[in-house]
DNA sequence: CAGTATCTACGAAACAAATAGTAATTCAAG
DNA sequence: CTTGAATTACTATTTGTTTCGTAGATACTG
């Protein structure tokens, strides 16, 4: 089958699986299934299907080990994080990242510590650019 | 029909419509349709269906004006922005907003100006907390 | 090598999202 | 009133997502 282009974003379940694979670096159907919370109780074959779809969409590649496949992300998590943020920014924040952060720091739940970390990150980036 | 509880997030098209309603404050099917880009060419009845669904999900209310309905968001945009950010943060950033911002400022496309704005926002928030 | 475990591939069922057509209603204007 | 344009309510179609069962392959175990 010809692989279709233009798969941008992961679906809900695909993201759930990718998070596990990113944490493990790679894994089999069994490995992923073992990482799911017990209350998830997903059938083995369902997990296998999801991974096959992820491979078809080229979010992972697979190699053989014994009788099973080992799946590994083709896309680094930070790359996907950035892609998701860009998507959210465009769709809900008029493509203005600053207004996204504005909303974030409006959150009263946000700890002083988190705020401090955020400022440190921004400062470091500003220094590196000018220096 | 009994309204189901627990509608959290908007679908793609629902968000497209809500963005228009947030900008207009309120509007009819026709109003929304007029705001869509011309290449969108969505049937009138499709737009009406989407708005009816939004009402059913309680993202908007409607009142009658003449023979048509006027739809108005029940949810402020900034509230929904925060909800979306929380969702993304949980699903993709281990619920750590600082790491979300970290990814954002890693983006080379991000302008110096945007970075400055972000820092100003954080600074202001930090000052207000301690002051 | 027979039996069992486990695995993959495929198909399909169940559900949700997006779009649009049809029928019925409403209102305004001749 | 009757007609016609615009509107709503409902239904249907198509497509994508999520889940799982069945069948066949593969490897291990005695």
């Amino acid at each position: 089958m010809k692989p279709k282009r233009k798969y941008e974003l992961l679906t809900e379940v695909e993201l759930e699986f990718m998070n596990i694979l990113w944490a493990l670096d790679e894994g089999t159907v069994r490995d992923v299934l073992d990482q799911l919370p017990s209350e998830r109780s997903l059938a083995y074959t369902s997990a296998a299907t999801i991974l096959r779809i992820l491979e078809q969409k080229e979010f992972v590649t697979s190699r053989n080990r014994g009788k099973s496949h080992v799946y590994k992300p083709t896309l680094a998590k930070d790359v996907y994080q950035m892609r998701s943020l860009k998507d959210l920014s465009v769709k809900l924040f008029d493509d203005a990242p600053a207004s996204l952060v504005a909303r974030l720091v409006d959150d009263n739940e946000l700890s002083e510590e988190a705020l401090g970390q955020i400022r440190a990150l921004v400062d470091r980036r500003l220094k590196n650019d000018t220096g």
Side-chain angles (χ1 to χ4, degrees), chain A residues 49-100:
Chain A
T49 299
I50 297 292
L51 287 169
R52 205 154 23 78
I53 290 170
L54 281 169
E55 181 168 28
Q56 197 205 308
K57 293 186 179 177
E58 298 181 24
F59 284 114
V60 305
T61 51
S62 75
R63 59 188 173 81
N64 287 3
R65 191 176 58 197
K67 75 176 145 183
S68 56
H69 297 334
V70 180
Y71 294 93
K72 189 182 172 83
T74 56
L75 189 65
K77 183 167 185 173
D78 57 359
V79 173
Y80 187 74
Q81 285 174 327
M82 201 173 295
R83 183 183 298 182
S84 298
L85 276 172
K86 173 69 178 173
D87 179 71
L88 186 66
S89 170
V90 166
K91 285 184 181 148
L92 197 55
F93 293 92
D94 293 309
D95 206 4
S99 73
L100 188 154

Side-chain angles (χ1 to χ4, degrees), chain A residues 2-125:
Chain A
K2 200 184 300 173
K4 272 201 224 122
R5 218 12 62 197
K6 193 69 176 179
Y7 280 120
E8 299 255 293
L9 295 175
L10 297 162
T11 67
E12 188 94 3
V13 176
E14 286 166 1
L15 176 56
E16 182 185 24
F17 276 47
M18 287 299 284
N19 271 325
I20 293 171
L21 288 177
W22 280 321
L24 296 177
D25 179 59
E26 60 176 25
T28 62
V29 175
R30 184 63 62 195
D31 294 334
V32 172
L33 211 48
D34 287 346
Q35 295 298 313
L36 289 173
S38 52
E39 65 274 20
R40 183 69 164 80
S41 68
L42 187 69
Y44 181 94
T45 55
S46 305
T49 299
I50 297 292
L51 287 169
R52 205 154 23 78
I53 290 170
L54 281 169
E55 181 168 28
Q56 197 205 308
K57 293 186 179 177
E58 298 181 24
F59 284 114
V60 305
T61 51
S62 75
R63 59 188 173 81
N64 287 3
R65 191 176 58 197
K67 75 176 145 183
S68 56
H69 297 334
V70 180
Y71 294 93
K72 189 182 172 83
T74 56
L75 189 65
K77 183 167 185 173
D78 57 359
V79 173
Y80 187 74
Q81 285 174 327
M82 201 173 295
R83 183 183 298 182
S84 298
L85 276 172
K86 173 69 178 173
D87 179 71
L88 186 66
S89 170
V90 166
K91 285 184 181 148
L92 197 55
F93 293 92
D94 293 309
D95 206 4
S99 73
L100 188 154
V101 176
R103 195 58 59 222
L104 201 63
V105 303
D106 277 351
D107 183 1
N108 290 320
E109 307 289 306
L110 204 61
S111 67
E112 193 96 358
E113 190 194 357
L115 278 168
Q117 286 170 9
I118 289 169
R119 183 165 63 173
L121 285 163
V122 176
D123 281 354
R124 185 146 44 80
R125 170 66 193 282

